[in-house]
């Protein structure tokens, strides 16, 4: 078992200087002014972010690949450039940005790299209301094979957009411990399960979220 970290006034002052008083402010409110407890909560927040990253990654990759396979079969490997794909300007801009990123890295613009460069927000945005008719009903609804009927586009979009917001907070090292994380973790596994029950079971088996969540300092 890892020994408990000792917080004395000098160590607390040094860490506060490294992390910044502004970043620790929310934690100190939760700790009712106890600086050592605030730092423990800060590290717990980091551990929760780490524990959620894997399951969210599992959802993102599953969603991305399921959509990509479907679109490639219907519109070709470079579906993101196909006129009849019907991408709106915002999504076209995201594709252009992904290509520019690859070019800066001096990597070829082949379909697997372009698809991998598109972020979670791009895939979630394909469930926007503007895509109800020509993407959701024709191509995307069939991907959610395990979703209980009736399963509407707005249901899928709400869950994926909520996960996107959580993912972004984690990516920007923001506090998440005030959020309903147990519920959100459940939604992540549920969303993976809508697409593939085996993948959801696999991700859940290796996840350390529950034990991390239970270890609140």
């Amino acid at each position: 078992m890892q020994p408990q970290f000792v917080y004395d006034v000098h160590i607390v002052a040094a860490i506060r200087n490294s992390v910044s008083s502004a970043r620790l402010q929310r934690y100190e409110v939760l700790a009712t002014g106890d600086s050592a407890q605030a730092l423990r909560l800060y590290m717990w927040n980091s551990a929760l972010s780490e524990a959620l990253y894997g399951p969210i990654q599992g959802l993102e990759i599953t969603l991305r690949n399921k959509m990509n396979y479907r679109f490639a079969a219907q519109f070709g490997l470079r579906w993101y450039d196909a006129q009849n794909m019907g991408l709106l300007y915002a999504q076209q801009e995201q594709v252009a940005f992904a290509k520019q990123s690859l070019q800066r890295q001096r990597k070829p613009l082949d379909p697997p790299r372009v698809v991998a460069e598109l972020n979670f927000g791009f895939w979630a945005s394909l469930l926007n209301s503007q895509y109800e008719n020509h993407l959701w009903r024709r191509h995307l609804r069939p991907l959610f094979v395990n979703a209980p009927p009736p399963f509407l586009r707005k249901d899928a979009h709400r869950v994926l957009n909520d996960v996107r917001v959580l993912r972004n907070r984690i990516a920007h090292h923001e506090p998440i411990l005030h959020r309903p994380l147990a519920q959100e973790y459940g939604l992540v596994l549920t969303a993976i399960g809508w697409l593939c029950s085996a993948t959801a079971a696999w991700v859940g088996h290796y996840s350390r979220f529950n034990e991390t969540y239970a270890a609140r300092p």
Side-chain angles (χ1 to χ4, degrees):
M1 185 175 179
Q2 188 177 28
Q4 191 171 28
F5 190 85
V6 177
Y7 292 95
D8 62 31
V9 292
H10 302 294
I11 286 177
V12 168
I15 297 174
R16 280 178 60 84
N17 186 57
S18 296
V19 176
S20 85
S21 298
R23 182 167 287 273
L24 287 174
Q25 186 174 14
R26 181 183 289 251
Y27 303 97
E28 289 177 335
V29 170
L30 292 172
T32 61
D34 183 335
S35 295
Q37 178 65 1
L39 291 174
R40 294 186 190 98
L41 291 173
Y42 181 88
M43 292 308 295
W44 185 54
N45 189 84
S46 296
L48 288 169
S49 297
E50 180 182 358
L52 284 167
Y53 181 81
I56 292 174
Q57 176 182 272
L59 173 57
E60 180 173 355
I61 290 176
T62 302
L63 180 69
R64 180 179 79 194
N65 287 335
K66 295 287 186 182
M67 286 188 173
N68 179 50
Y69 297 153
R70 177 75 179 192
F71 294 152
Q74 298 296 317
F75 304 104
L77 291 177
R78 299 181 185 274
W79 53 265
Y80 42 81
D81 291 331
Q83 292 295 318
N84 58 340
M85 175 70 186
L87 289 183
L88 300 176
Y89 179 76
Q91 284 67 52
Q92 291 176 16
E93 284 285 283
Q94 289 176 286
V95 171
F97 182 82
K99 291 179 178 179
Q100 290 166 10
S101 177
L102 290 172
Q103 288 173 329
R104 287 194 297 270
Q105 300 172 59
R106 301 184 182 279
K107 293 181 179 180
L109 300 182
D110 55 58
R113 285 188 172 87
V114 173
V115 168
E117 195 71 20
L118 294 166
N119 62 29
F120 191 97
F122 173 84
W123 304 105
S125 73
L126 298 182
L127 295 166
N128 288 345
S129 59
Q130 299 95 321
Y131 292 114
E132 174 83 39
N133 293 322
H134 70 287
L135 287 188
W136 172 254
R137 294 182 182 178
R138 297 181 184 180
H139 304 293
L140 297 182
R141 176 59 182 90
L143 300 181
F144 295 84
V145 292
N146 300 316
F151 186 67
L152 305 178
R153 176 203 55 76
K154 65 180 181 180
D155 299 323
H157 181 262
R158 175 181 51 79
V159 169
L160 292 174
N161 194 57
D162 286 348
V163 174
R164 179 191 64 81
V165 171
L166 175 61
R167 180 194 182 281
N168 288 348
R169 292 195 68 83
I170 291 172
H172 291 95
H173 316 298
E174 296 293 333
I176 61 169
L177 72 174
H178 60 289
R179 298 173 64 92
L181 295 180
Q183 178 183 340
E184 292 179 315
Y185 170 66
L187 283 177
V188 171
L189 293 184
T190 295
I192 299 173
W194 288 339
L195 297 160
C196 178
S197 57
T199 304
W202 177 57
V203 170
H205 177 80
Y206 286 100
S207 170
R208 299 184 61 187
F209 172 78
N210 287 329
E211 61 189 275
T212 303
Y213 188 72
R216 179 183 179 119

